[in-house]
Amino acid sequence: MTIDDFAVPLLAVRDLRKIYQVRGEKRKTADFVAVDSISFDIDKGETFGLIGESGSGKTTTGRMVLALEKASSGSVLFEGNDITAMNELDMRRYRKRMQIVFQDSGSAFNPRRSVGAQIGFALQRFGMAPKDGIRDLVLDMLGRVGMEASHYDRYIHEFSGGQRQRLGIARALITNPDFLVLDEPTAALDVSVQAQILNLLKDLQSERELTMLLISHNLALVEHMCDNAGVLDHGSLVESGSVDDLLTAPRTAITRSLVDAVLEPATAASR
Ligand SMILES: Nc1ncnc2c1ncn2[C@@H]1O[C@H](COP(=O)(O)OP(=O)(O)OP(=O)(O)O)[C@@H](O)[C@H]1O
Ligand SMILES: [Mg+2]
C-alpha cells in the first residue's frame, strides 16, 4: 500500500460524457452532447458545487453520477469502483449508499400512501430493519428533519413546499447513505425556508459525515454550502476549484456572469 491508497476520493468522475440522440434536420437523428468529458473529485465529507445555466448539463451529470442515467462514456468511481460498468445486481450494494434530493421531492411521493410508509420503504427493500422496527426508525428520522410524529400517517398533498423537501430529505437519508446529490434542493422555496433547509442539510452532513454534490444555478447558495465547485457551460466543465477562487478571480465569462448575478442586489443597493 502506498500513501495514495489512503487518498482515494469518495467520488471521482472521469471523462464523463452523455450523448443524446435527437431529431435533427430532415427527420434524421443527430448526436447532441449534453455532458462533454467532464472530470472532478469529491472527497469524503466535502460538498462539491456544480453550477451552470439552464440546460448546461447539471441534472444529467447528477443522474449519471448515481447511475440513474447511463453514461455514454467515461467513468464514475465510487470508493475506486466504477459504477458505470456495474450491472444492476452489483449496483444494488451501492444504491442505498447514494441518494438524491431534487427540487420538488414531493412529486416523487405516491399521493395515495402515507408519507411515513414511503420514507420507510427503502429499509424494507434493502432488508435494513425488521418490519416491526421500521416505524420507529422513520419517526426518529422525521424528528431529525424537523417534522412531527403525527405527520407519519398523512399524505403528501397535506404539506407545504418546505415540509415536502424535509420529507424528501428524510426519505433520502433513511438508509444512512454516504453520498447525496442535491439537485436544486431549494429552488422552489421562499428565501427564509431555503435557509432552513440548507442549514438542516449542513447539520445532517456534519452529523453523518455526508459527502454531497450540490447542483445549482445560484452561486450564492454554492458559496454558503461548498468548498469547491465546478462551472458547466454547454456540457463542458469550463473551470473548477475553490469557491473562493471562483468568486474572487473568475477565469471565464460564464463564471463572471454567475458571480455578477450574486452581486447584483448589493450593487443595486449601493447605487
Ligand atoms: N432525454 C433527453 N433527450 C434529449 N436531450 C436531453 C434529454 N435530457 C436532457 N437533454 C438535454 O441535455 C441538456 C442538459 O440538460 P440538463 O437537464 O442536464 O440541464 P440542467 O443544467 O440540469 O438545466 P436546468 O438548470 O434547467 O435544470 C439540455 O439541452 C437538455 O435539453
Ligand atoms: Mg436540472
Side-chain angles (χ1 to χ4, degrees):
M1 256 195 187
T2 67
I3 295 279
D4 279 344
D5 291 324
F6 295 98
V8 174
L10 184 83
L11 190 95
V13 169
R14 289 289 170 272
D15 302 319
L16 197 63
R17 204 154 197 258
K18 181 69 188 184
I19 299 172
Y20 287 114
Q21 303 290 320
V22 294
R23 192 171 302 168
E25 278 173 41
K26 296 181 186 159
R27 296 196 176 187
K28 281 189 185 155
T29 56
D31 285 351
F32 174 74
V33 184
V35 175
D36 198 0
S37 304
I38 69 171
S39 301
F40 58 88
D41 288 354
I42 313 182
D43 286 332
K44 192 167 167 52
E46 186 196 344
T47 305
F48 184 86
L50 200 53
I51 323 160
E53 291 177 337
S54 185
S56 57
K58 304 182 296 296
T59 296
T60 306
T61 300
R63 291 178 54 81
M64 284 195 288
V65 162
L66 296 178
L68 296 171
E69 181 101 52
K70 198 169 165 31
S72 302
S73 61
S75 50
V76 175
L77 305 169
F78 189 81
E79 292 175 341
N81 303 302
D82 188 359
I83 61 168
T84 60
M86 276 180 203
N87 60 34
E88 210 29 63
L89 195 66
D90 290 333
M91 193 56 213
R92 217 181 125 92
R93 241 182 321 144
Y94 292 91
R95 286 262 177 248
K96 59 179 178 245
R97 301 186 54 195
M98 333 170 73
Q99 295 288 338
I100 185 164
V101 172
F102 41 91
Q103 180 169 336
D104 179 14
S105 291
S107 66
F109 280 83
N110 181 329
R112 285 178 292 277
R113 292 185 63 207
S114 75
V115 292
Q118 293 180 76
I119 291 168
F121 179 70
L123 292 174
Q124 193 182 324
R125 178 178 169 219
F126 294 118
M128 295 177 80
K131 220 171 173 186
D132 57 5
I134 290 177
R135 191 179 176 100
D136 282 346
L137 290 170
V138 172
L139 290 175
D140 258 9
M141 182 50 84
L142 284 176
R144 270 313 292 129
V145 300
M147 300 292 284
E148 288 163 26
S150 66
H151 291 143
Y152 185 103
D153 291 305
R154 299 225 202 135
Y155 298 90
I156 195 69
H157 73 265
E158 298 177 60
F159 296 100
S160 70
Q163 288 175 320
R164 284 166 173 234
Q165 281 312 76
R166 289 173 191 272
L167 293 168
I169 292 165
R171 180 148 90 165
L173 292 185
I174 195 77
T175 57
N176 206 10
D178 305 282
F179 178 65
L180 211 55
V181 171
L182 305 163
D183 190 351
E184 305 272 10
T186 60
L189 305 173
D190 292 347
V191 174
S192 66
V193 183
Q194 268 186 32
Q196 289 171 14
I197 298 289
L198 294 175
N199 290 334
L200 170 65
L201 286 166
K202 272 194 155 181
D203 289 349
L204 291 166
Q205 176 175 39
S206 52
E207 206 174 89
R208 293 162 178 255
E209 271 211 295
L210 272 169
T211 306
M212 309 200 291
L213 173 65
L214 173 65
I215 292 171
S216 179
H217 59 272
N218 183 346
L219 194 50
L221 192 150
V222 168
E223 183 188 12
H224 180 65
M225 297 290 287
C226 308
D227 299 319
N228 295 305
V231 180
L232 272 181
D233 182 24
H234 292 91
S236 296
L237 198 66
V238 291
E239 65 182 295
S240 67
S242 83
V243 173
D244 285 346
D245 288 349
L246 290 180
L247 278 166
T248 53
R251 281 181 278 129
T252 59
I254 188 79
T255 311
R256 158 73 44 207
S257 76
L258 290 163
V259 171
D260 287 347
V262 172
L263 298 178
E264 237 157 51
T267 315
S270 66
R271 261 181 210 146

